[in-house]
């Protein structure tokens, strides 16, 4: 029999619903929050409640945004002739952090995964096709930046095949050793890619 | 430059404040919540906001409760002559789950930890002393159920010494192999305790 008061148990249940948060972790988080001031709790609550209130989905790139078209799509300083295709909005955040990319994005909303029943129709591929078709040849390159796991690779191959007739330069993120990695501990597939992709010093 | 819309970034910041939640995990949780319905978000928010609204601290055992004295302290079926001393409210939950203990509790609110500046005065030890002193000999035993780490042991020793003059039976949780453990992988200290605490079969 659990003797936790209902308001505490209720919030533990909420946290337990989140991905990667087990009941023990949820308990720890809630007991931490119990020591917060009511002002802090109110702020947290308001931010949960308002998470989606102002958020829309960009009609072009499908990213979460405060407006549509989003900040990136409507930024006149961004290159309009290159689209980077990613699975999730967090991938955009990661790529933006590099400061190396100045083009546009397209968020698929996942990757092809037959086991979990995610087929191309469940992704924002139709919207991408429309974007490319209506660009009147303005798009010169698409970078497929899906993950290098099975699902990401499948999605990349599917897209490469689909867009081949469009005569656009289709590229995939380079592969090799991650920065800071030991050659000794690299898996053979990564090492083979690193060899093939070697550069003049 | 992070391109996340403010309502998303704000909630990521809230989650990042929680213990054990890094910015990457916080991002994952918030993007999961973005797919929730507004009703679900509202419920989560309400539960955060109301976490402490009805919660008080029991004047006897110092546990979180809907009333004071708490459910356990005011339960006539519980043994009134034995107090189990724990560090945190979650420890009460763990012990209650065993169904083996029918006495009362006292929550210290932590353990003695000089490095983090937690001394006996920061714990609810004064309240425990008052409880024992005002019990008119009703308390026959105290079980010290602090963790078996350095801080828990220090706290246990401190309490044992403090309450020695009271002529109460002071016990500590039994130690030995956890259920399901391999002898081969047990550390020597645990194994030594298991040997000393061996039982007739």
């Amino acid at each position: 029999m659990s003797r936790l008061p209902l308001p505490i148990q209720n919030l533990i249940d909420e946290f337990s619903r989140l991905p990667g948060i087990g009941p023990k972790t949820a308990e720890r988080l809630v007991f931490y929050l119990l020591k917060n001031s009511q002002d802090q709790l109110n702020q947290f609550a308001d931010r949960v409640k308002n998470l989606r209130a102002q958020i829309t989905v960009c009609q072009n790139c499908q990213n979460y945004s405060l407006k549509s078209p989003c900040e990136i799509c409507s930024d006149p300083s961004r290159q309009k002739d290159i689209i980077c295709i990613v699975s999730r909005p967090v991938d955009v955040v990661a790529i933006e952090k590099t400061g190396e990319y100045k083009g546009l994005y397209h968020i698929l909303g996942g990757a092809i995964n037959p086991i979990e029943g995610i087929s191309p129709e469940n992704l924002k591929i139709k919207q991408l096709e429309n974007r490319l078709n209506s660009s009147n040849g303005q798009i010169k390159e698409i970078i497929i930046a899906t993950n290098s796991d099975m699902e990401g690779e499948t999605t990349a191959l599917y897209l490469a095949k689909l867009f081949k007739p469009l005569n656009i330069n289709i590229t995939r993120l380079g592969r090799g050793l991650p920065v800071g990695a030991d050659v000794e501990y690299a898996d053979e597939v990564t090492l083979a890619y690193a060899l093939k992709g070697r550069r003049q010093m």
Side-chain angles (χ1 to χ4, degrees), chain A:
Chain A
M1 161 194 51
S2 169
R3 287 276 189 172
L4 284 175
L6 199 64
I8 296 178
Q9 189 59 53
N10 279 343
L11 191 56
I12 290 174
D13 293 344
E14 287 293 336
F15 275 105
S16 300
R17 281 199 306 112
L18 301 179
I21 307 275
K24 279 274 170 198
T25 305
E27 247 173 49
R28 188 160 45 89
L29 298 177
V30 171
F31 279 103
Y32 173 85
L33 284 175
L34 267 167
K35 292 186 205 149
N36 278 209
S37 70
Q38 188 59 46
D39 278 354
Q40 287 174 305
L41 292 180
N42 289 346
Q43 177 177 295
F44 196 148
D46 289 343
R47 286 177 168 184
V48 170
K49 195 170 281 187
N50 297 331
L51 176 61
R52 306 190 321 169
Q54 302 169 271
I55 299 291
T56 185
V57 167
C58 172
Q59 68 202 43
N60 292 333
C61 72
Q62 312 295 321
N63 201 1
Y64 292 119
S65 174
L66 294 173
K67 55 181 186 175
S68 176
C70 73
E71 233 184 295
I72 292 177
C73 285
S74 58
D75 181 347
S77 76
R78 309 277 309 201
Q79 282 176 257
K80 306 289 184 203
D81 57 353
I82 180 164
I83 295 181
C84 180
I85 302 169
V86 297
S87 292
R88 302 162 308 158
V90 285
D91 300 324
V92 172
V93 181
I95 293 172
E96 283 297 291
K97 276 180 188 159
T98 69
E100 292 286 330
Y101 181 70
K102 298 292 171 210
L104 305 177
Y105 290 95
H106 192 88
I107 290 95
L108 297 174
I112 297 170
N113 187 339
I115 295 166
E116 294 192 7
I118 303 172
S119 64
E121 299 80 55
N122 302 119
L123 304 176
K124 307 288 185 182
I125 293 176
K126 196 80 212 157
Q127 288 86 340
L128 178 57
E129 280 189 275
N130 293 342
R131 242 178 123 177
L132 295 174
N133 288 329
S134 66
S135 79
N136 298 318
Q138 206 198 351
I139 312 291
K140 304 293 184 213
E141 180 178 352
I142 55 178
I143 303 173
I144 305 178
T146 52
N147 291 340
S148 66
D149 57 8
M150 179 82 88
E151 292 76 27
E153 288 300 326
T154 307
T155 310
L157 286 173
Y158 178 89
L159 294 176
K161 203 170 160 193
L162 182 69
F163 296 134
K164 193 151 198 198
L166 292 182
N167 235 345
I168 296 175
N169 190 17
I170 302 172
T171 58
R172 182 99 175 91
L173 287 186
R175 283 194 284 193
L177 288 180
V179 175
D182 283 6
V183 172
E184 182 184 356
Y185 298 117
D187 67 283
E188 56 251 64
V189 184
T190 299
L191 210 49
Y193 272 110
L195 276 169
K196 277 186 222 152
R198 66 189 182 278
R199 303 185 313 162
Q200 196 76 45
M201 288 186 66

